[in-house]
Amino acid sequence: MEARDAPDKIRPLPPDLAGDATPEGPPPPDRRWVPIAVAAGALVFFGVLAGLLGSAPTTTSGPNEAEPPPTTLPGLGAPPPPPTTTTRAPQTLRERIPILERSLTVIYQGDDGTSTRLQTWPIGAIEPSEATSSGGRAEAAMFDTSFAELAWVTTGRHDTLWLGAPPQGEPAWIDISGAAWHATTPLTLAWLARDPADGTIHLYRATALPTGLEQLTDLGPLPEGSELVGWGDWGFALNVPPPSLMRQWRIPDPTGATPNTVFQPLAFTIILDDLGVETAALVGTARATGPDGHLVIQPAPEAYRLALDGGLDVVALGLQTEPIVVGRDPQERPFALLAPDLTPTDVGFAPASPATTFVFTPDGAHVTAAGAIEGRFAMVTEAVDGTQRRITSVAGADTLIGFSRDGKLLVLHDRSGGGLTFHDWNRGASWQLPFPSGSVLAVDV
């Protein structure tokens, strides 16, 4: 190639000049990469800055480990990082329910509908022990006052009284109609059963030992349909029905809202001494007894007054003593708490319904009424001397089982399968335990 040096002459170019270089000086630096480098650096800078400002601190497994840098730039359509999950270590029974002081034992109906089961959850264990089972579906179960012995009743052609924990329980008596442990004396049991000789209902008492029933005493016959509610050093409390033709009476509507009449059952509660002699009678149905002789009763005064107006006397009503009438306004106060001397107290359990369940604390100082109140399952716990009252409610429970040994906790059950609830009635705190799967009959905790 040649360059013009003059109009008529051509000068050859030096061989080392090429491309865009000029002969006046060295070639200029190539700046085409600068915008690209600046953009990339800005992206990296802002990406790291955003990661530092927007990321939450995470727990590392060691003091020298650092969180890895982000692998994608935020804001460019990358998917968010997966949420972190925390695996909770299994908890022991003590950790689940810190207020508990001892292991848990539960007696319940097997979900197969034909067995009675016992299951224990040790206080320091993560899971309960394997349940033991015995044939026969129990309808009632109860621990004695020392929690050393268990009595349970199975239904069938002849209801049977069993002693001992499943599966080692042994049948102790057949054709019974109710049983109760002595309120304060361990291993002392009473029950109602049909006398095989004459077929009538008798009241029995005995000491339950591993070798069987000892010191058996027959306290005499009672009317058909009698119910043993409880007993202690103060005597036996039993519900006894009047003759069949006298059991229902038409009374005016207690609310006064209508001129209609309603039926009120005529019912009596009798108190027997330790020899089986009637010492008192009350108009109404006993619902629970305390260890010292306090008595919750559902009065029925109007039916009794109508019976007297009809010319019936004590003998015609099947009683041996003149009955005591308690409760003046059963609509306002459907239940009454009587002192051991059978005088009324100020505790009225309002509001309450006929379906209410009553349980005394082990020391007898408080009594709880549990049932539906304004559409919720609630508990009203009152001191028997009227000095304290607590109203609490819980979710996921519909049955009151009883108190813990120390009286601090109410034990409740959800029959639909929700498990057990342990309720601190004085503070209002509750703990739920998904265990067991059958209908609960008795709890020791």
Side-chain angles (χ1 to χ4, degrees):
M1 182 177 180
E2 294 180 339
R4 295 184 181 272
D5 199 31
D8 299 326
K9 295 183 179 180
I10 298 175
R11 181 176 57 88
L13 289 176
D16 56 344
L17 293 180
D20 293 333
T22 62
E24 287 74 21
D30 189 355
R31 292 182 176 87
R32 289 173 297 178
W33 57 270
V34 172
I36 298 175
V38 171
L43 286 175
V44 172
F45 172 80
F46 287 110
V48 173
L49 181 62
L52 292 175
L53 295 178
S55 61
T58 59
T59 302
T60 60
S61 58
N64 297 323
E65 293 184 15
E67 182 181 1
T71 57
T72 59
L73 295 177
L76 297 182
T84 58
T85 58
T86 302
T87 301
R88 192 172 186 177
Q91 293 182 306
T92 65
L93 180 62
R94 180 183 285 109
E95 292 168 336
R96 285 172 175 261
I97 310 176
I99 197 172
L100 290 187
E101 298 178 354
R102 64 180 68 250
S103 300
L104 169 67
T105 300
V106 182
I107 309 297
Y108 61 99
Q109 296 173 344
D111 50 13
D112 57 5
T114 61
S115 64
T116 302
R117 297 180 181 178
L118 179 147
Q119 197 163 11
T120 299
W121 194 325
I123 189 69
I126 295 174
E127 295 180 349
S129 61
E130 185 176 354
T132 58
S133 181
S134 179
R137 179 183 174 89
E139 294 298 328
M142 63 215 82
F143 289 98
D144 81 315
T145 186
S146 68
F147 290 89
E149 186 63 282
L150 175 71
W152 36 296
V153 179
T154 58
T155 57
R157 182 181 178 185
H158 300 292
D159 292 359
T160 302
L161 173 66
W162 297 70
L163 294 175
Q168 287 79 28
E170 295 289 340
W173 208 272
I174 63 170
D175 209 2
I176 77 160
S177 58
W181 291 104
H182 190 281
T184 55
T185 303
L187 304 177
T188 308
L189 185 68
W191 67 97
L192 296 172
R194 197 170 300 280
D195 185 351
D198 59 14
T200 59
I201 297 296
H202 281 235
L203 176 63
Y204 298 92
R205 179 186 62 202
T207 301
L209 298 176
T211 55
L213 295 173
E214 298 187 7
Q215 300 177 340
L216 177 65
T217 303
D218 184 350
L219 298 175
L222 288 166
E224 189 78 24
S226 297
E227 175 193 9
L228 176 60
V229 181
W231 68 297
D233 291 340
W234 43 269
F236 299 85
L238 301 105
N239 291 326
V240 294
S244 58
L245 296 178
M246 308 174 189
R247 293 182 183 177
Q248 294 285 344
W249 293 81
R250 285 188 176 274
I251 66 171
D253 183 357
T255 65
T258 68
N260 299 333
T261 58
V262 296
F263 282 105
Q264 185 179 81
L266 179 59
F268 298 103
T269 298
I270 61 172
I271 307 298
L272 306 182
D273 64 15
D274 58 356
L275 298 177
V277 177
E278 182 180 314
T279 59
L282 301 161
V283 177
T285 302
R287 300 295 297 272
T289 59
D292 62 353
H294 276 85
L295 177 71
V296 178
I297 191 168
Q298 183 177 352
E302 294 298 328
Y304 176 65
R305 293 190 182 99
L306 289 175
L308 294 180
D309 293 342
L312 299 177
D313 58 12
V314 172
V315 175
L317 294 173
L319 303 174
Q320 300 176 18
T321 57
E322 187 73 28
I324 302 170
V325 179
V326 295
R328 296 182 177 180
D329 193 346
Q331 193 65 22
E332 291 295 329
R333 299 182 69 177
F335 301 100
L337 177 66
L338 306 183
D341 62 0
L342 303 182
T343 57
T345 68
D346 292 332
V347 177
F349 305 111
S353 70
T356 303
T357 302
F358 298 91
V359 178
F360 283 85
T361 53
D363 62 3
H366 295 81
V367 59
T368 292
I373 298 178
E374 297 180 356
R376 302 186 64 183
F377 189 77
M379 289 76 64
V380 181
T381 301
E382 303 196 47
V384 296
D385 60 5
T387 59
Q388 183 184 27
R389 191 184 207 204
R390 292 283 188 272
I391 301 178
T392 55
S393 63
V394 297
D398 57 17
T399 305
L400 173 60
I401 303 300
F403 279 95
S404 58
R405 291 196 192 188
D406 58 12
K408 295 180 181 179
L409 294 175
L410 281 166
V411 184
L412 305 109
H413 176 50
D414 182 1
R415 290 172 295 181
S416 63
L420 294 172
T421 297
F422 300 86
H423 179 68
D424 185 340
W425 60 270
N426 199 33
R427 300 180 179 180
S430 294
W431 297 265
Q432 291 187 330
L433 194 66
F435 159 82
S437 58
S439 181
V440 175
L441 302 174
V443 172
D444 173 23
V445 68

